C-alpha cells in the first residue's frame, strides 16, 4: 500500500466551521462549477486528481454528491487550463486531455469506462461489445451496472452504449429520453 493510499484512508470530513477552500485539494472536498452541455446546465466536480463527477444542475446536486462520494462540494473555479478542457469534453463527449478522478470506481469499472471513452461521437456500441473489450465477454450486465454508476457522464459517453438489439436502454443522467436526445444530436440515431 502506498503512502497516498494510507493517507487517503485517514481522511475524514472537515470539521464544521472550517473556512471554504481550506479543505479543497486535500481530498476532503471537491470544487464544482456549472457548465453548459448538450443537456443544458450541468455541475462538474473536480479535485487535484481530475474531474470527479458530472450531474444535472438541479436542486439537491450537492447532497447527491456528498451522499455518493462521502465528501462535500465547494463552489470554486477549476484550474485555468482545465476550463477549456471541461467545455470541450462536454461538447465532444470524450475526456480527451481532461484528467478524470477514478477513485470512486473499481478497477474493472475503470477499464470499462476507459473503453467507453474511446467510442467515437456519432457511433454506438453494445454492452456485450464493451464486455468483450475488457476481456470478460460474459460481463455485459456488469458493464451495464458500470454505465449506471458512471461518475462523469457526458465526459465519458455512456450514452453511446446501447442494448445488443439496438434499443436505447437506460440512462442515469435523466432517463432514456435524454439519452435518445444526445444520440440524435450526435447523429447516431434518427
Amino acid at each position: 500500500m502506498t503512502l497516498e493510499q494510507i493517507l487517503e484512508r485517514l481522511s475524514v470530513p472537515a470539521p464544521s466551521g472550517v473556512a471554504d477552500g481550506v479543505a479543497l485539494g486535500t481530498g476532503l472536498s471537491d470544487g464544482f462549477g456549472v457548465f453548459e452541455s448538450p443537456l443544458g446546465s450541468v455541475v462538474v466536480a473536480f479535485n487535484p486528481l481530475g474531474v470527479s463527477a458530472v450531474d444535472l444542475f438541479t436542486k439537491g446536486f450537492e447532497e447527491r454528491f456528498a451522499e455518493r462520494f462521502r465528501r462535500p462540494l465547494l463552489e470554486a473555479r477549476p484550474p485555468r487550463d482545465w476550463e477549456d478542457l471541461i467545455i470541450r469534453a462536454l461538447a465532444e463527449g470524450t475526456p480527451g486531455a481532461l484528467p478524470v478522478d477514478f477513485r470512486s470506481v473499481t478497477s474493472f469499472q475503470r477499464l470499462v469506462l476507459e473503453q467507453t471513452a474511446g467510442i467515437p461521437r456519432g457511433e454506438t456500441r453494445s454492452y456485450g461489445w464493451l464486455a468483450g473489450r475488457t476481456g470478460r465477454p460474459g460481463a455485459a450486465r456488469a458493464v451495464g451496472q458500470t454505465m449506471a454508476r458512471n461518475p462523469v457522464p457526458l465526459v465519458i459517453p455512456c450514452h453511446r452504449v446501447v442494448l445488443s438489439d439496438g434499443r436505447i436502454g437506460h440512462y442515469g443522467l435523466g432517463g432514456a429520453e435524454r439519452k435518445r436526445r444526445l444520440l440524435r444530436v450526435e447523429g447516431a440515431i434518427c
Side-chain angles (χ1 to χ4, degrees), residues 27-188:
L28 298 177
S29 63
D30 286 38
F32 77 89
V34 178
F35 293 85
E36 286 307 308
S37 80
L39 292 179
S41 296
V42 292
V43 175
V44 177
F46 53 87
N47 60 56
L49 297 176
V51 170
S52 55
V54 175
D55 195 359
L56 296 174
F57 184 50
T58 58
K59 184 176 180 169
F61 72 87
E62 291 175 88
E63 292 81 12
R64 288 191 304 274
F65 180 90
E67 184 177 313
R68 180 173 181 187
F69 298 101
R70 298 175 193 233
R71 56 188 188 265
L73 278 172
L74 301 172
E75 190 167 358
R77 290 186 63 110
R80 281 206 169 152
D81 55 332
W82 286 13
E83 283 191 49
D84 288 338
L85 294 175
I86 290 170
I87 291 166
R88 184 176 302 128
L90 292 170
E92 296 175 3
T94 187
L98 179 66
V100 176
D101 177 2
F102 285 111
R103 289 180 298 165
S104 68
V105 301
T106 67
S107 58
F108 172 75
Q109 291 169 334
R110 180 177 181 154
L111 179 60
V112 169
L113 292 170
E114 288 171 342
Q115 291 295 318
T116 304
I119 300 172
R121 182 179 176 85
E123 297 183 22
T124 61
R125 300 291 188 270
S126 72
Y127 297 103
W129 180 88
L130 267 176
R133 296 285 293 193
T134 66
R136 294 181 54 193
R141 183 169 291 215
V143 167
Q145 291 171 343
T146 299
M147 296 298 99
R149 294 183 180 117
N150 179 2
V152 288
L154 297 176
V155 171
I156 295 186
C158 55
H159 62 278
R160 296 180 188 149
V161 183
V162 298
L163 299 170
S164 60
D165 62 7
R167 287 182 295 144
I168 296 292
H170 298 287
Y171 187 53
L173 195 62
E177 190 49 46
R178 284 202 169 110
K179 182 175 185 175
R180 189 172 285 108
R181 187 167 85 198
L182 285 169
L183 292 172
R184 279 190 188 116
V185 165
E186 294 184 357

